[in-house]
Amino acid sequence: MDGKRGASMATIKDIANLAGVSKTTVSRVLNFDQTLSVSDDTRKRIFEAAEKLEYKKYKRKRVIDKGKIAIVQWMTEKDELDDVYYLSLRMSAEKKILDEGYEIARYFCDDEMYFGKGVIGIISIGECTPEQQQILINFTDHVVFVGMDILSANYDSVSLDFDQAVHSVIDFFIKTGHTDIGFIGGIDYGKTLPNHPVGKDKRTIAFEKYMCLMGIYKPENVFQSSFDVESGYEMMKEAINQFDKQLPTAFFTANDPLAVGALRALLEKDIQVPERVSLIGFNDTSVAKHVFPTLSSVRIHTEIMGASSIELLLERLETECKVAKKLIIATELMLRGSTVNEMKPFKN
């Protein structure tokens, strides 16, 4: 399954022009070059420019005095730059807010959660603890949770079909001749969330279940640490040292930064991608199109998720509907240079 975007990809030059920096700086930032000394403000401008160029342009409605919609991002502003998926979610929600004629009140997890009288509703992005949920709910019933399902608490949510996403990756690997498949994922050490086995997120759980179902699961092929580039690099180095010539022929990573780090470790050891190891990331952020080789990744439609969360909130505000809704957004597998895309028969 080869997903395709309707619009052409933004070039390094496009991003550089919009961010007001050089093409070299853009390339090094998008590749998470650890040797580059650049401010977080510059990184933010580059990532925001890359995301903006991915969105379709809509004519903005000019309506005033409608009130404010608060965006709560359950990570720090610095951490958001390390996982552009969350930046993209926030930007897509904020764009829809402005398109609908509302103002934005923006909060990160380390901000004081004080919502003024002008705030009429809240969009919560990312997973949060029950205590953090309660802070929002205490202020208003008009809350939509993005990336977290709390339908049982009678609140609207927008989330992903993680099983469908992970199955599409494993099915693709099998069809292209891979049965020895590794997984590089992350652990959220900072939150204790209901319905989560300790140390596992939804992608890890889906991977293990489906690999077991297909009869090809190997627990020694699963690596978990943090969700950043450096962790991806270290985990792939560990895998290379552990397996040597028996290194799995394919790896699925839980996000694109992990894939970028894993790719760097492979190339340092002259392990060819995709000839020796195929690699697929998750989220399909702007980063995926600008690394080398370009990264195959699971496309998350963040622009749809962000806009849909605002639509759910506005519907609740306008109708005072008391029935909670859960919107599940499908994903697409975007195939690029980090995978061999020729189909082969599966040999069990």
Side-chain angles (χ1 to χ4, degrees):
M1 177 172 59
D2 186 359
K4 297 179 179 179
R5 302 293 301 274
S8 59
M9 185 184 82
T11 66
I12 294 290
K13 182 179 179 180
D14 294 333
I15 298 168
N17 288 341
L18 186 56
V21 297
S22 70
K23 291 189 292 184
T24 300
T25 299
V26 170
S27 179
R28 293 177 70 182
V29 167
L30 292 181
N31 280 273
F32 290 94
D33 187 338
Q34 304 297 309
T35 65
L36 177 64
S37 178
V38 65
S39 69
D40 285 343
D41 181 65
T42 299
R43 291 177 65 211
K44 181 180 178 182
R45 290 208 319 273
I46 290 170
F47 282 127
E48 286 183 345
E51 293 303 314
K52 283 178 181 177
L53 289 168
E54 291 289 314
Y55 299 148
K56 296 177 182 178
K57 294 182 179 179
Y58 296 100
K59 184 177 180 181
R60 182 175 297 176
K61 300 175 183 178
R62 295 191 174 274
V63 185
I64 59 174
D65 295 330
K66 277 188 159 188
K68 295 180 181 178
I69 295 176
I71 299 282
V72 177
Q73 179 74 284
W74 290 112
M75 59 173 53
T76 66
E77 194 167 6
K78 183 176 177 59
D79 288 342
E80 187 187 60
L81 294 177
D82 292 328
D83 193 343
V84 190
Y85 164 70
Y86 291 99
L87 171 67
S88 182
L89 275 177
R90 177 175 63 77
M91 289 180 63
S92 61
E94 290 181 353
K95 181 180 184 302
K96 182 65 173 177
I97 290 171
L98 295 176
D99 286 345
E100 294 294 334
Y102 293 86
E103 294 183 57
I104 298 166
R106 183 184 301 130
Y107 300 85
F108 290 90
C109 70
D110 51 353
D111 293 331
E112 182 181 356
M113 296 294 170
Y114 175 75
F115 307 107
K117 291 182 179 179
V119 172
I120 60 173
I122 299 173
I123 302 296
S124 171
I125 298 177
E127 293 194 323
C128 57
T129 65
E131 292 75 21
Q132 290 169 329
Q133 293 170 27
Q134 199 61 47
I135 293 173
L136 310 185
I137 294 168
N138 284 345
F139 177 78
T140 179
D141 287 335
H142 301 137
V143 186
V144 177
F145 293 86
V146 182
M148 185 175 188
D149 173 18
I150 61 166
L151 189 67
S152 59
N154 205 35
Y155 286 91
D156 294 339
S157 63
V158 180
S159 58
L160 301 176
D161 189 335
F162 282 97
D163 287 340
Q164 175 255 331
V166 173
H167 293 182
S168 71
V169 172
I170 296 172
D171 287 343
F172 170 78
F173 276 150
I174 291 173
K175 288 175 183 177
T176 50
H178 301 284
T179 56
D180 191 8
I181 303 169
F183 177 82
I184 290 178
I187 303 170
D188 192 343
Y189 296 101
K191 298 185 177 78
T192 303
L193 299 167
N195 303 318
H196 276 235
V198 174
K200 294 184 180 180
D201 76 350
K202 294 175 183 176
R203 284 154 290 197
T204 310
I205 296 167
F207 177 85
E208 292 178 345
K209 284 185 178 179
Y210 197 55
M211 290 288 285
C212 286
L213 182 65
M214 300 303 290
I216 54 175
Y217 176 64
K218 298 178 181 179
E220 64 271 22
N221 285 7
V222 175
F223 298 83
Q224 294 180 89
S225 181
S226 300
F227 280 98
D228 53 65
V229 174
E230 190 61 28
S231 295
Y233 174 78
E234 293 297 337
M235 283 187 278
M236 183 57 80
K237 278 181 60 178
E238 181 184 347
I240 292 169
N241 292 334
Q242 176 178 316
F243 293 109
D244 193 23
K245 295 185 184 299
Q246 301 303 313
L247 184 70
T249 61
F251 277 87
F252 172 43
T253 68
N255 68 10
D256 290 344
L258 286 170
V260 171
L263 180 61
R264 184 179 299 155
L266 290 166
L267 297 181
E268 275 188 7
K269 292 294 185 179
D270 294 321
I271 298 172
Q272 292 185 314
V273 178
E275 292 81 4
R276 171 61 180 87
V277 173
S278 283
L279 187 66
I280 294 180
F282 197 90
N283 296 336
D284 195 38
T285 58
S286 50
V287 171
K289 298 88 168 173
H290 298 289
V291 295
F292 182 81
T294 52
L295 180 64
S296 295
S297 187
V298 176
R299 170 69 180 166
I300 309 301
H301 294 282
T302 52
E303 67 276 20
I304 296 175
M305 291 181 69
S308 297
S309 69
I310 304 304
E311 290 168 359
L312 283 175
L313 179 62
L314 295 181
E315 180 183 3
R316 182 164 281 234
L317 285 166
E318 292 167 2
T319 65
E320 290 296 334
C321 177
K322 300 299 183 184
V323 179
K325 295 181 180 180
K326 175 183 176 181
L327 185 60
I328 300 176
I329 307 297
T331 61
E332 291 181 80
L333 182 55
M334 311 297 289
L335 301 179
R336 300 190 181 92
S338 66
T339 50
V340 174
N341 302 327
E342 179 184 353
M343 299 300 176
K344 299 177 182 179
F346 171 44
K347 295 181 181 179
N348 198 345

Coordinates of all heavy atoms in Angstrom, one line a residue, residues 108-156:
F108 N 1.4 24.7 27.7 CA 2.2 23.5 27.7 C 2.2 22.9 29.1 O 1.7 23.6 30.0 CB 3.7 23.8 27.3 CG 3.8 24.1 25.8 CD1 3.6 25.5 25.4 CD2 4.0 23.1 24.9 CE1 3.7 25.8 24.0 CE2 4.0 23.5 23.5 CZ 3.9 24.8 23.1
C109 N 2.7 21.7 29.3 CA 2.5 21.0 30.5 C 3.1 21.7 31.7 O 2.7 21.5 32.8 CB 2.9 19.5 30.4 SG 4.7 19.3 30.3
D110 N 4.2 22.4 31.4 CA 4.8 23.1 32.5 C 4.3 24.5 32.8 O 4.9 25.3 33.6 CB 6.4 23.1 32.3 CG 6.7 23.7 30.9 OD1 5.8 23.9 30.1 OD2 7.9 23.9 30.7
D111 N 3.2 24.9 32.1 CA 2.6 26.2 32.3 C 1.6 26.1 33.5 O 1.0 25.0 33.7 CB 1.9 26.7 31.1 CG 2.8 27.0 29.9 OD1 4.0 27.4 30.2 OD2 2.4 26.9 28.8
E112 N 1.3 27.2 34.1 CA 0.2 27.2 35.0 C -1.1 27.1 34.3 O -1.4 27.9 33.4 CB 0.2 28.5 35.9 CG -0.9 28.6 36.9 CD -0.8 29.9 37.7 OE1 0.1 30.7 37.5 OE2 -1.7 30.1 38.6
M113 N -2.0 26.1 34.6 CA -3.2 25.9 33.9 C -4.3 26.8 34.5 O -5.2 26.4 35.2 CB -3.6 24.4 34.1 CG -2.7 23.5 33.4 SD -2.6 23.6 31.6 CE -1.2 22.6 31.2
Y114 N -4.2 28.1 34.1 CA -5.2 29.1 34.5 C -5.9 29.5 33.3 O -5.4 30.1 32.4 CB -4.6 30.3 35.2 CG -5.6 31.4 35.5 CD1 -6.5 31.2 36.5 CD2 -5.6 32.5 34.7 CE1 -7.4 32.2 36.8 CE2 -6.6 33.5 35.0 CZ -7.5 33.3 36.0 OH -8.4 34.3 36.3
F115 N -7.2 29.1 33.2 CA -8.0 29.4 32.0 C -8.9 30.6 32.3 O -9.7 30.6 33.2 CB -8.8 28.2 31.6 CG -8.0 27.0 31.4 CD1 -8.1 25.9 32.3 CD2 -7.2 26.8 30.3 CE1 -7.4 24.8 32.1 CE2 -6.4 25.7 30.1 CZ -6.5 24.6 31.1
G116 N -8.7 31.7 31.6 CA -9.5 32.9 31.8 C -10.9 32.8 31.5 O -11.4 31.8 30.9
K117 N -11.7 33.8 31.8 CA -13.1 33.8 31.5 C -13.4 33.7 30.0 O -14.5 33.2 29.6 CB -13.8 35.1 32.0 CG -13.8 35.1 33.6 CD -14.5 36.4 34.0 CE -14.6 36.4 35.6 NZ -15.3 37.6 36.1
G118 N -12.5 34.1 29.1 CA -12.8 34.1 27.7 C -12.7 32.8 27.1 O -13.1 32.5 25.9
V119 N -12.1 31.8 27.8 CA -11.9 30.4 27.3 C -13.3 29.7 27.3 O -13.9 29.5 28.4 CB -10.9 29.6 28.0 CG1 -10.8 28.2 27.6 CG2 -9.5 30.3 27.8
I120 N -13.7 29.2 26.1 CA -15.0 28.6 26.0 C -14.9 27.0 25.9 O -15.9 26.3 25.9 CB -15.9 29.1 24.9 CG1 -15.2 29.0 23.6 CG2 -16.2 30.6 25.2 CD1 -16.0 29.4 22.4
G121 N -13.7 26.6 25.6 CA -13.5 25.1 25.4 C -12.1 24.8 25.4 O -11.2 25.7 25.2
I122 N -11.7 23.5 25.5 CA -10.3 23.1 25.6 C -10.1 21.9 24.7 O -10.9 20.9 24.6 CB -10.0 22.7 27.1 CG1 -10.2 23.8 28.0 CG2 -8.5 22.1 27.1 CD1 -10.0 23.5 29.5
I123 N -9.0 21.9 24.0 CA -8.5 20.8 23.2 C -7.2 20.3 23.9 O -6.2 21.0 24.1 CB -8.1 21.2 21.8 CG1 -9.3 21.8 21.0 CG2 -7.5 20.0 21.0 CD1 -10.5 20.8 20.8
S124 N -7.3 19.0 24.4 CA -6.2 18.4 25.1 C -5.4 17.5 24.1 O -6.0 16.6 23.6 CB -6.7 17.6 26.3 OG -5.7 16.8 26.9
I125 N -4.1 17.7 24.0 CA -3.3 16.9 23.0 C -2.3 16.1 23.7 O -1.5 16.5 24.5 CB -2.6 17.9 22.0 CG1 -3.6 18.7 21.2 CG2 -1.7 17.1 21.1 CD1 -2.9 19.7 20.3
G126 N -2.4 14.8 23.4 CA -1.5 13.8 24.0 C -2.1 13.1 25.3 O -3.1 13.6 25.8
E127 N -1.4 12.1 25.7 CA -1.9 11.4 26.9 C -1.6 12.1 28.2 O -0.5 12.7 28.3 CB -1.3 10.0 26.9 CG -1.8 9.1 25.7 CD -1.5 7.6 25.9 OE1 -0.5 7.3 26.5 OE2 -2.4 6.8 25.5
C128 N -2.5 12.1 29.1 CA -2.4 12.7 30.4 C -2.9 11.9 31.5 O -3.7 11.0 31.2 CB -3.0 14.1 30.4 SG -4.8 14.1 30.0
T129 N -2.5 12.1 32.7 CA -2.9 11.4 33.8 C -4.4 11.7 34.2 O -4.9 12.8 33.8 CB -2.0 11.6 35.0 OG1 -2.2 13.0 35.4 CG2 -0.6 11.3 34.7
P130 N -5.0 10.9 35.0 CA -6.4 11.2 35.5 C -6.4 12.6 36.3 O -7.3 13.3 36.2 CB -6.7 10.1 36.4 CG -6.0 8.9 35.9 CD -4.7 9.5 35.4
E131 N -5.3 12.9 37.0 CA -5.2 14.1 37.7 C -5.2 15.3 36.8 O -5.8 16.3 37.0 CB -4.0 14.1 38.6 CG -4.0 13.1 39.8 CD -3.8 11.7 39.3 OE1 -3.2 11.5 38.2 OE2 -4.2 10.8 40.1
Q132 N -4.4 15.1 35.7 CA -4.3 16.2 34.7 C -5.7 16.4 33.9 O -6.1 17.5 33.7 CB -3.2 15.9 33.7 CG -1.8 16.0 34.3 CD -0.7 15.5 33.4 OE1 -0.9 14.6 32.6 NE2 0.5 16.1 33.5
Q133 N -6.3 15.3 33.6 CA -7.7 15.4 33.0 C -8.6 16.2 33.9 O -9.4 17.0 33.5 CB -8.3 13.9 32.8 CG -7.5 13.1 31.8 CD -8.0 11.6 31.9 OE1 -9.2 11.4 32.3 NE2 -7.2 10.7 31.6
Q134 N -8.5 15.9 35.2 CA -9.4 16.5 36.2 C -9.3 18.1 36.2 O -10.2 18.8 36.4 CB -9.2 16.0 37.6 CG -10.4 16.2 38.5 CD -11.7 15.6 38.0 OE1 -11.7 14.4 37.6 NE2 -12.8 16.3 38.0
I135 N -8.0 18.5 36.0 CA -7.8 20.0 35.9 C -8.6 20.6 34.8 O -9.2 21.7 35.0 CB -6.3 20.2 35.7 CG1 -5.5 19.8 36.9 CG2 -6.1 21.7 35.4 CD1 -4.0 19.9 36.7
L136 N -8.7 19.9 33.7 CA -9.4 20.5 32.5 C -10.9 20.4 32.8 O -11.7 21.3 32.5 CB -9.0 19.7 31.3 CG -7.6 19.6 30.9 CD1 -7.4 18.9 29.6 CD2 -6.9 20.9 31.0
I137 N -11.3 19.2 33.3 CA -12.8 19.0 33.4 C -13.3 19.9 34.5 O -14.5 20.2 34.5 CB -13.0 17.5 33.8 CG1 -12.6 16.6 32.5 CG2 -14.4 17.2 34.2 CD1 -12.5 15.1 32.8
N138 N -12.5 20.2 35.5 CA -13.0 21.1 36.6 C -13.3 22.5 36.0 O -14.2 23.2 36.6 CB -11.9 21.2 37.7 CG -11.9 20.0 38.6 OD1 -12.8 19.2 38.6 ND2 -10.8 19.8 39.3
F139 N -12.7 22.8 35.0 CA -12.9 24.2 34.4 C -14.1 24.2 33.5 O -15.0 25.1 33.5 CB -11.7 24.6 33.6 CG -11.9 26.0 32.9 CD1 -11.8 27.1 33.7 CD2 -12.2 26.0 31.6 CE1 -12.0 28.4 33.1 CE2 -12.4 27.3 31.0 CZ -12.3 28.4 31.7
T140 N -14.3 23.1 32.7 CA -15.4 23.1 31.7 C -15.7 21.7 31.3 O -14.8 20.8 31.2 CB -15.1 23.9 30.5 OG1 -16.2 23.9 29.6 CG2 -13.8 23.5 29.7
D141 N -16.9 21.4 30.9 CA -17.3 20.1 30.3 C -17.0 20.1 28.8 O -17.0 19.0 28.2 CB -18.8 19.8 30.5 CG -19.1 19.5 31.9 OD1 -18.3 19.0 32.6 OD2 -20.3 19.7 32.3
H142 N -16.6 21.2 28.3 CA -16.4 21.3 26.8 C -14.9 21.0 26.6 O -14.1 21.9 26.3 CB -16.7 22.7 26.3 CG -18.2 23.0 26.5 ND1 -18.6 24.3 27.0 CD2 -19.3 22.3 26.4 CE1 -20.0 24.2 27.1 NE2 -20.4 23.0 26.7
V143 N -14.5 19.8 26.6 CA -13.2 19.3 26.4 C -13.1 18.2 25.4 O -14.0 17.3 25.4 CB -12.5 18.8 27.7 CG1 -11.0 18.5 27.5 CG2 -12.7 19.8 28.8
V144 N -12.2 18.3 24.4 CA -12.0 17.2 23.5 C -10.6 16.7 23.6 O -9.6 17.5 23.7 CB -12.2 17.6 22.0 CG1 -11.9 16.5 21.0 CG2 -13.7 18.1 21.8
F145 N -10.4 15.4 23.7 CA -9.1 14.8 24.0 C -8.5 14.2 22.6 O -9.2 13.4 22.0 CB -9.2 13.7 25.0 CG -9.5 14.2 26.4 CD1 -10.8 14.4 26.8 CD2 -8.4 14.5 27.3 CE1 -11.1 14.9 28.1 CE2 -8.7 15.0 28.5 CZ -10.0 15.2 28.9
V146 N -7.4 14.7 22.2 CA -6.8 14.2 21.0 C -5.6 13.3 21.3 O -4.7 13.6 22.1 CB -6.2 15.4 20.2 CG1 -5.6 14.9 18.9 CG2 -7.3 16.4 19.9
G147 N -5.7 12.1 20.7 CA -4.6 11.1 21.0 C -4.8 10.3 22.2 O -4.0 9.6 22.7
M148 N -6.0 10.4 22.8 CA -6.4 9.7 24.1 C -7.8 9.4 24.1 O -8.7 10.3 23.9 CB -5.9 10.5 25.3 CG -6.1 9.7 26.6 SD -5.4 10.7 28.0 CE -5.6 9.5 29.3
D149 N -8.2 8.2 24.4 CA -9.6 7.8 24.4 C -10.1 7.7 25.8 O -9.7 6.9 26.6 CB -9.8 6.4 23.7 CG -11.2 5.9 23.9 OD1 -12.1 6.6 24.2 OD2 -11.3 4.6 23.7
I150 N -11.0 8.7 26.2 CA -11.7 8.6 27.5 C -13.2 8.7 27.3 O -13.9 9.3 28.0 CB -11.2 9.7 28.5 CG1 -11.5 11.1 28.0 CG2 -9.7 9.5 28.8 CD1 -11.3 12.1 29.1
L151 N -13.7 7.9 26.3 CA -15.1 7.8 26.0 C -15.9 7.4 27.2 O -17.0 7.8 27.4 CB -15.3 6.9 24.8 CG -16.7 6.9 24.2 CD1 -17.1 8.2 23.5 CD2 -16.8 5.7 23.2
S152 N -15.3 6.5 28.0 CA -16.0 5.9 29.1 C -16.3 7.0 30.1 O -17.3 6.9 30.9 CB -15.2 4.9 29.8 OG -13.9 5.4 30.2
A153 N -15.6 8.1 30.1 CA -15.9 9.3 31.0 C -16.8 10.3 30.4 O -17.0 11.3 30.9 CB -14.5 9.9 31.4
N154 N -17.3 9.9 29.2 CA -18.3 10.7 28.5 C -17.7 12.0 27.9 O -18.4 13.1 28.0 CB -19.5 11.1 29.4 CG -20.8 11.4 28.6 OD1 -21.0 10.8 27.5 ND2 -21.6 12.3 29.0
Y155 N -16.5 11.9 27.4 CA -15.9 13.1 26.8 C -15.5 12.7 25.3 O -15.1 11.6 25.1 CB -14.7 13.6 27.6 CG -15.0 14.3 28.8 CD1 -15.2 13.6 30.0 CD2 -15.3 15.7 28.8 CE1 -15.6 14.3 31.2 CE2 -15.7 16.4 29.9 CZ -15.9 15.7 31.1 OH -16.3 16.3 32.2
D156 N -15.6 13.7 24.4 CA -15.2 13.4 23.0 C -13.7 13.2 22.9 O -12.9 13.8 23.6 CB -15.7 14.6 22.2 CG -17.2 14.8 22.1 OD1 -17.9 13.8 22.4 OD2 -17.6 15.9 21.8

